[in-house]
Amino acid sequence: MTILLQDLRFALRQLRKSPGFTITAVLTLALAIGANAVVFGVLNALILRPLTVPQAESLFLIQHGSDSYPDYLDLRERNHSFDDVAVFAIRQSGLDTGNDPSNVWQYETSGNYFDVLRIQPYLGRFFHASDEHGPNSAPYIVLSYAYWHNHFRDDGSVVGRVVQLNKHPFTILGVAPPGFQGTILFFASDIFVPVVNHEQLSGEKILNARESRWMFETVGHLKTGVTPAQATADLSSVDSYLKRTYPKEEGNEPYTLARAGLHGDYLNGPTRAFLTGLMLLSGLILLAACTNLGSLFAARAADRSREVALRLALGSSRNRILRQLFTESVLLSLAGGVAGLMASILLLRRLSVWQPFPRFPLHVPVSPDANVYFVALVLALVSGVLFGIVPVHQILRSNPYEIVKAGSTGAFGRRITVRDVLLVVQIAICAVLVTSSMVAVRGLVRSMHTNFGFDPRNAMLVDTDLATAGYSGEKVPAMQRRMIEALQAIPGVDSVGSVNWPPLEPPGGWQGIVYTDTTADLSPSNAAADPYLYNVTPDYFRASGTPLLAGRAFTWHDDTNAPRVAVVNREFARKILGSIPDAVGRFFKLRDGTRVRVVGLVETEST
């Protein structure tokens, strides 16, 4: 310890004598280690860290395309691999507490949702499967901790209070525990409600409609001793039963398992690949920084060659000198690591509250934890060793007599070779980083100038949800028309249209299968495609700038009393109808056998 303290004091004196070198080294390492800490913090939060639920390692997402609620009930009763399974979906509603009505994002869940996740309420109680007694039988709300804290100011008396949700009375049962925002990591839900009240909230009857495919997600804990492979085989038997029993309603998607938290394979794979790529790039940045500092350290060691030679001539061992140089490099790397870690903590905390899309409550829980601190410490120590090891060869091969004889200009004989190698490595790494950055920027520029199939210039997007105001069924089209006519009367407004899901946003509702007009057997295996269905008003294509290539757009006469018609895009015409020029006037079939006539052809919009 005495020798170590001596080395530390000597290293601090040497670094204080060279403030320019010290500041350059610390800042370089701070940027490199900080970048790595930030990327690892996001990787840790989204990929490595499990959901904040008990026994998260056994919680899996059961994937099966778009499911119906009866499918979930069959899966729940017929599988033998899970302790229990729960279902949830995300939607938006209007919550009126009596003071400040607002839109809230909610998880619509099965009654056993909280029991399956094995979590306990922070306040009050949760709803359970025993609270469900058919459609609209469980008008209950559970608040998220964040929503309760921000909107009710930690008021414990909210339990038992009756509020209005989409103009229907609901009772607040309790508050979820802190840190739990649902079973999708990046989506911060405001409230949780039972899915059996879906009809009351939206006007749609889905509980007994097997043909009504909804964006449900199913989660469950594997039983003790059951492997994911065994569970997948068990789910395949359930899938075979459903396809055999309900051939017209069931699709072709098999059951698969995925880790819960990132919307299954839809986001898990791309997110993992993207963050892994970022981690590799940040690692290259750190390697470039170490190479740069290694070159500086080699030059500094060469400038101190006479000092080192005198110490060797006076009896100091080479190991002692090397240890002292390593002490300097580790001190520098630790100082840079601390500075980089402090900067990364500030940035990660900013990312935790950042909302890139104000319309959605996207919340990335990237607050730094012990893993981030540990990785930053390891990177700092490794960096110190990497650039501190550069002068080792010079010192081990040095001849004190020759150096003293040559004077202060007589540096280590091989320093030019070492520095040249380091320079080549620096150039190579920086070339890779610059090229990667240019490719990324070019891809971004190209994506910004892509033909989206619509023209966003001079277009305004207004978010409305009539269900939050209590409108449902036949009242919705009439109110939509009144709103559109009122907006069209505003001076300067050229056209107004409505769509259930805006461009560049994948639909969150119906995604069914369609058949060619000549298909007689309407089983899922004979389906031609599974397109998205967008509900639009007559002037939508003009308002969005979507070119009408052939035929006509909708009119207000294309209502429930008129024959079924559709406007399709190029991709649909090519894939389903087999001919783009002759698409208008042709027919395709829905799952229930309804023939739909194509009256218009538009450009394909990006999603």
Side-chain angles (χ1 to χ4, degrees), residues 5-302:
L5 290 176
Q6 291 176 353
D7 287 340
L8 286 174
R9 285 195 294 267
F10 184 78
L12 288 173
R13 287 199 303 269
Q14 290 296 322
L15 294 176
R16 194 161 46 241
K17 289 179 181 179
S18 305
F21 168 78
T22 302
I23 293 174
T24 300
V26 170
L27 289 179
T28 301
L29 283 172
L31 289 173
I33 294 177
N36 278 268
V38 168
V39 176
F40 179 79
V42 178
L43 180 70
N44 177 58
L46 296 182
I47 303 298
L48 303 180
R49 185 191 301 166
L51 283 172
T52 54
V53 298
Q55 295 87 47
E57 65 280 355
S58 64
L59 185 68
F60 283 86
L61 182 73
I62 304 173
Q63 304 177 121
H64 192 224
S66 299
D67 274 338
S68 65
Y69 190 75
D71 287 339
Y72 155 69
L73 295 178
D74 281 326
L75 174 64
R76 181 180 175 185
E77 295 298 325
R78 294 182 175 276
N79 90 87
H80 303 91
S81 303
F82 292 85
D83 288 329
D84 199 1
V85 293
V87 72
F88 68 92
I90 298 173
R91 60 172 287 114
Q92 197 172 20
S93 292
L95 179 63
D96 186 357
T97 61
N99 298 320
D100 186 18
S102 62
N103 287 333
V104 294
W105 286 94
Q106 68 196 29
Y107 270 65
E108 288 189 10
T109 73
S110 53
N112 64 341
Y113 179 74
F114 297 107
D115 295 321
V116 167
L117 297 181
R118 304 170 183 174
I119 61 176
Q120 300 300 319
Y122 178 80
L123 191 69
R125 75 174 183 92
F126 291 143
F127 49 78
H128 306 282
S130 58
D131 294 313
E132 299 176 328
H133 304 286
N136 305 321
S137 61
Y140 304 125
I141 289 177
V142 171
L143 304 175
S144 70
Y145 181 88
Y147 191 83
W148 173 67
H149 173 75
N150 294 329
H151 292 79
F152 291 95
R153 301 294 185 266
D154 298 339
D155 183 7
S157 65
V158 298
V159 176
R161 183 184 301 180
V162 177
V163 296
Q164 297 287 317
L165 193 64
N166 284 6
K167 300 299 183 180
H168 296 282
F170 277 69
T171 302
I172 298 176
L173 291 183
V175 178
F180 178 77
Q181 59 184 19
T183 33
I184 295 182
L185 278 171
F186 55 85
F187 196 93
S189 174
D190 298 315
I191 63 174
F192 303 85
V193 298
V195 72
V196 294
N197 283 67
H198 181 84
E199 179 183 350
Q200 192 177 42
L201 296 176
S202 67
E204 301 171 329
K205 298 181 180 181
I206 65 170
L207 298 185
N208 299 314
R210 194 172 293 273
E211 71 281 357
S212 180
R213 323 304 291 180
W214 199 251
M215 299 299 287
F216 284 125
E217 293 198 12
T218 308
V219 293
H221 279 281
L222 284 178
K223 292 180 178 179
T224 303
V226 177
T227 65
Q230 292 171 335
T232 302
D234 179 34
L235 293 174
S236 296
S237 65
V238 178
D239 187 39
S240 299
Y241 164 80
L242 292 175
K243 287 181 171 62
R244 185 172 60 254
T245 309
Y246 309 102
K248 291 186 177 182
E249 289 82 7
E250 295 301 319
N252 296 320
E253 301 90 350
Y255 277 107
T256 57
L257 295 182
R259 285 290 180 183
L262 275 181
H263 199 31
D265 292 338
Y266 184 71
L267 287 179
N268 193 11
T271 302
R272 187 183 297 271
F274 175 71
L275 291 178
T276 301
L278 279 184
M279 200 72 213
L280 290 175
L281 287 177
S282 60
L284 284 177
I285 292 174
L286 181 60
L287 185 58
C290 291
T291 307
N292 181 38
L293 291 177
S295 178
L296 291 176
F297 219 64
R300 189 165 183 266

Side-chain angles (χ1 to χ4, degrees), residues 288-594:
C290 291
T291 307
N292 181 38
L293 291 177
S295 178
L296 291 176
F297 219 64
R300 189 165 183 266
D303 293 337
R304 294 170 60 188
S305 59
R306 184 174 177 79
E307 170 203 328
V308 172
L310 287 174
R311 292 177 64 187
L312 290 172
L314 292 173
S316 178
S317 68
R318 297 179 190 270
N319 289 337
R320 179 67 186 276
I321 294 176
L322 288 175
R323 186 171 59 197
Q324 192 271 320
L325 291 176
F326 271 116
T327 302
E328 287 186 27
S329 66
V330 170
L331 273 178
L332 284 173
S333 62
L334 287 177
V338 170
L341 181 60
M342 297 298 294
S344 67
I345 289 174
L346 295 176
L347 185 55
L348 287 173
R349 287 177 177 172
R350 293 288 297 174
L351 285 175
S352 294
V353 298
W354 179 49
Q355 286 191 302
F357 306 102
R359 182 168 176 255
F360 301 98
L362 299 182
H363 169 74
V364 183
V366 293
S367 298
D369 58 7
N371 291 334
V372 178
Y373 301 145
F374 176 75
V375 167
L377 175 62
V378 170
L379 290 177
L381 294 176
V382 171
S383 301
V385 172
L386 282 178
F387 70 80
I389 206 172
V390 172
V392 170
H393 182 70
Q394 296 171 278
I395 292 175
L396 293 179
R397 296 292 300 271
S398 61
N399 186 330
Y401 175 77
E402 294 294 336
I403 295 174
V404 173
K405 181 179 178 181
S408 59
T409 58
F412 297 125
R414 297 180 61 84
R415 69 183 177 96
I416 300 300
T417 303
V418 173
R419 295 177 64 184
D420 285 346
V421 171
L422 291 177
L423 180 61
V424 172
V425 174
Q426 276 183 263
I427 294 174
I429 295 175
C430 291
V432 172
L433 291 172
V434 171
T435 303
S436 301
S437 301
M438 292 178 64
V439 170
V441 171
R442 183 180 179 186
L444 178 62
V445 171
R446 290 183 61 184
S447 65
M448 295 298 293
H449 293 85
T450 298
N451 180 16
F452 297 111
F454 63 93
D455 187 1
R457 292 175 298 179
N458 300 323
M460 299 290 293
L461 184 65
V462 181
D463 188 17
T464 63
D465 189 352
L466 294 178
T468 62
Y471 288 89
S472 61
E474 297 179 355
K475 296 181 181 179
V476 173
M479 186 59 191
Q480 279 183 333
R481 186 168 184 175
R482 287 174 54 193
M483 293 169 60
I484 289 174
E485 289 173 349
L487 290 172
Q488 284 178 330
I490 298 175
V493 175
D494 179 64
S495 56
V496 181
S498 174
V499 61
N500 56 339
W501 294 94
L504 299 182
E505 185 177 316
W510 185 93
Q511 182 186 3
I513 56 178
V514 297
Y515 305 84
T516 62
D517 191 36
T518 58
T519 304
D521 181 11
L522 302 183
S523 58
S525 58
N526 293 327
D530 52 348
Y532 287 119
L533 172 67
Y534 291 86
N535 296 319
V536 303
T537 55
D539 218 19
Y540 165 74
F541 298 114
R542 183 183 172 197
S544 66
T546 302
L548 183 66
L549 305 178
R552 66 173 178 87
F554 296 117
T555 69
W556 289 109
H557 297 291
D558 294 318
D559 53 20
T560 55
N561 299 319
R564 295 290 295 272
V565 295
V567 174
V568 302
N569 59 25
R570 280 179 175 269
E571 183 65 16
F572 185 96
R574 181 190 65 80
K575 194 169 184 178
I576 311 300
L577 305 178
S579 174
I580 294 178
D582 302 326
V584 175
R586 302 183 66 177
F587 290 84
F588 62 90
K589 291 180 181 178
L590 301 179
R591 177 176 292 184
D592 60 1
T594 302

